[in-house]
């Protein structure tokens, strides 16, 4: 069984060599490494004995089509999609080859272990947010029934080539949502796949450009995505049961903020007041994202047409 690793890179990448090194150490000559880049071809790449294929995209909006095209022409039995700021651990490739050889209907997903080159308050808040999200995951019924997950990390995941062909029956071949873990996860579970946590697949995910503005933007985008998913899939309540994190009625108001404040309670009182103000603004960004989603007119996806038959 061979692997095609598809790395998504960008012009501001400073981790591409490290990502490539980790892959090159674990792949064989029968495996393949493909770089999908949203600009000019990278000027400096690690010299490796593995052949490299570089696909160029003229813009971020064009990136999804290029990634789909690269995936379609990849030669491997298993496709590993990974962002250039993610570093896989030793044994990662061997593990995904093993589980994909013996298990046809289960996808395996690790956890993002975030690394912050700069130590600051934004990193502290992000760590608390990530811990809260992991605590919520462990409360879900799916986790209690065999450590199953209800999401895929779009930054790093793997699919069999045969699974990609199944997805192409529901989506346009050029627009399979390889950059949208939520929609992709829904489609895969409706196809009969389950997603299971595997600690062997935990990765290091570097957050080099994390700022307060990026957290505001992420809060807005997450809530807008949640609202659009709720609107798009209202015709089938099974979807909400599968993905409780996208059902806002299950989320207690201010619960996450209270958890973050408690996690940072060892800091000074003035610092906590500052963080509380930041969290209030972040909550407003989430509310605005939800409002935008409610105002959008969304037609059912091809997935929903398939489930109504």
């Amino acid at each position: 069984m061979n692997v095609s690793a598809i790395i998504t890179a960008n012009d501001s990448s400073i981790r591409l060599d490290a990502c490539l090194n980790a892959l090159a150490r674990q792949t064989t000559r029968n495996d393949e490494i493909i770089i999908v880049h949203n600009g000019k071809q990278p000027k400096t790449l690690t010299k490796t004995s593995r052949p490299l294929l570089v696909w160029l995209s003229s813009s971020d909006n064009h990136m999804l089509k290029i990634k789909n095209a690269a995936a379609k022409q990849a030669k491997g039995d298993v496709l590993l999609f990974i962002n250039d700021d993610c570093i896989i651990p030793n044994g990662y490739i061997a593990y995904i080859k093993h589980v994909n050889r013996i298990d046809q209907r289960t996808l395996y997903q690790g956890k993002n272990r975030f690394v912050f080159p700069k130590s600051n308050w934004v990193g502290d808040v992000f760590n608390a947010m990530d811990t809260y999200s992991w605590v919520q995951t462990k409360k879900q019924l799916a986790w209690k029934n065999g450590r199953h997950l209800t999401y895929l990390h779009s930054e790093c995941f793997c699919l069999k080539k045969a699974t990609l062909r199944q997805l192409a029956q529901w989506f346009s071949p050029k627009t399979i949502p390889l950059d949208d873990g939520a929609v992709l996860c829904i489609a895969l579970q409706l196809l009969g796949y389950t997603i299971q946590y595997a600690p062997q697949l935990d990765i290091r995910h570097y957050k080099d450009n994390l700022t307060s503005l990026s957290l505001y933007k992420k809060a807005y985008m997450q809530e807008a995505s949640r609202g659009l998913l709720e609107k798009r899939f209202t015709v089938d309540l099974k979807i909400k049961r599968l993905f409780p994190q996208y059902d806002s009625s299950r989320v207690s108001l201010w619960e996450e903020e209270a958890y973050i404040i408690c996690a940072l309670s060892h800091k000074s009182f003035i610092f906590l007041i500052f963080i509380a103000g930041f969290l209030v603004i972040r909550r407003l960004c989430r509310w605005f994202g939800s409002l935008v989603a409610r105002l959008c007119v969304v037609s059912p996806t091809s997935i929903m047409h398939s489930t109504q038959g």
Side-chain angles (χ1 to χ4, degrees):
M1 179 166 285
N2 301 329
V3 171
S4 290
I6 301 175
I7 307 173
T8 302
N10 59 63
D11 287 329
S12 61
S13 172
I14 61 174
R15 302 286 174 185
L16 179 56
D17 273 356
C19 176
L20 191 55
N21 268 326
L23 286 165
R25 284 195 300 267
Q26 300 184 45
T27 50
T28 68
R29 291 188 178 276
N30 294 324
D31 297 320
E32 180 180 46
I33 298 177
I34 302 171
I35 299 175
V36 179
H37 198 267
N38 70 341
K40 299 178 181 178
Q41 183 164 335
K43 294 180 180 178
T44 57
L45 285 174
T46 300
K47 292 183 179 179
T48 171
S49 59
R50 307 289 173 265
L52 294 178
L53 224 67
V54 180
W55 290 63
L56 301 180
S57 171
S58 58
S59 66
D60 286 333
N61 293 333
H62 192 227
M63 178 69 86
L64 180 60
K65 291 182 180 179
I66 293 293
K67 189 185 294 188
N68 271 279
K72 184 178 179 180
Q73 295 197 24
K75 300 175 182 178
D77 305 298
V78 178
L79 307 180
L80 168 62
F81 298 92
I82 183 169
N83 286 3
D84 59 355
D85 55 0
C86 298
I87 313 296
I88 62 172
N90 292 331
Y92 188 104
I93 298 296
Y95 187 84
I96 63 173
K97 286 183 178 181
H98 172 69
V99 295
N100 279 283
R101 187 179 294 112
I102 64 174
D103 197 333
Q104 302 296 318
R105 307 301 293 179
T106 302
L107 303 174
Y108 291 86
Q109 172 78 70
K111 186 181 187 302
N112 285 357
R113 304 289 179 181
F114 293 103
V115 180
F116 305 94
K118 297 179 181 179
S119 179
N120 54 32
W121 70 270
V122 181
D124 292 339
V125 171
F126 188 92
N127 260 329
M129 289 164 49
D130 180 57
T131 303
Y132 172 80
S133 176
W134 189 240
V135 168
Q136 296 304 110
T137 293
K138 290 186 174 183
K139 290 180 180 179
Q140 293 176 6
L141 183 62
W143 177 269
K144 296 175 182 178
N145 294 332
R147 295 171 65 164
H148 291 149
L149 301 173
T150 58
Y151 58 84
L152 275 177
H153 291 303
S154 57
E155 300 89 356
C156 184
F157 67 95
C158 61
L159 295 174
K160 295 188 74 170
K161 190 70 178 287
T163 305
L164 198 71
R165 287 193 288 267
Q166 287 181 285
L167 289 168
Q169 297 175 11
W170 280 357
F171 300 95
S172 162
K174 295 182 179 181
T175 58
I176 297 173
L178 299 174
D179 57 351
D180 190 333
V183 175
L184 186 62
C185 187
I186 290 174
L188 288 167
Q189 293 203 45
L190 290 175
L191 281 170
Y193 289 88
T194 58
I195 303 169
Q196 187 168 347
Y197 171 64
Q200 297 90 336
L201 302 182
D202 287 359
I203 62 168
R204 283 179 289 146
H205 187 177
Y206 285 85
K207 305 295 287 186
D208 293 292
N209 300 312
L210 188 67
T211 64
S212 57
L213 290 178
S214 66
L215 292 185
Y216 289 145
K217 180 180 178 180
K218 183 177 180 180
Y220 167 81
M221 295 300 294
Q222 281 184 334
E223 204 63 29
S225 297
R226 187 212 303 269
L228 289 173
L229 280 172
E230 289 180 1
K231 200 167 185 179
R232 183 175 293 167
F233 299 124
T234 50
V235 293
D236 192 341
L237 294 178
K238 181 178 73 172
I239 302 299
K240 285 189 177 183
R241 290 197 297 271
L242 281 173
F243 304 96
Q245 71 268 38
Y246 294 109
D247 185 356
S248 59
S249 64
R250 296 172 179 260
V251 181
S252 300
L253 188 63
W254 301 109
E255 179 181 325
E256 182 183 15
E257 287 81 1
Y259 183 94
I260 294 170
I261 292 294
C262 288
L264 300 176
S265 59
H266 60 284
K267 302 284 187 176
S268 69
F269 178 74
I270 294 176
F271 177 80
L272 292 179
I273 293 295
F274 170 76
I275 295 300
F278 165 81
L279 293 175
V280 168
I281 298 173
R282 179 172 173 269
R283 172 63 68 169
L284 290 175
C285 291
R286 293 176 63 177
W287 174 83
F288 186 64
S290 178
L291 176 64
V292 169
R294 286 198 297 270
L295 294 175
C296 287
V297 177
V298 180
S299 57
T301 65
S302 55
I303 294 176
M304 297 316 303
H305 291 308
S306 299
T307 59
Q308 290 174 14

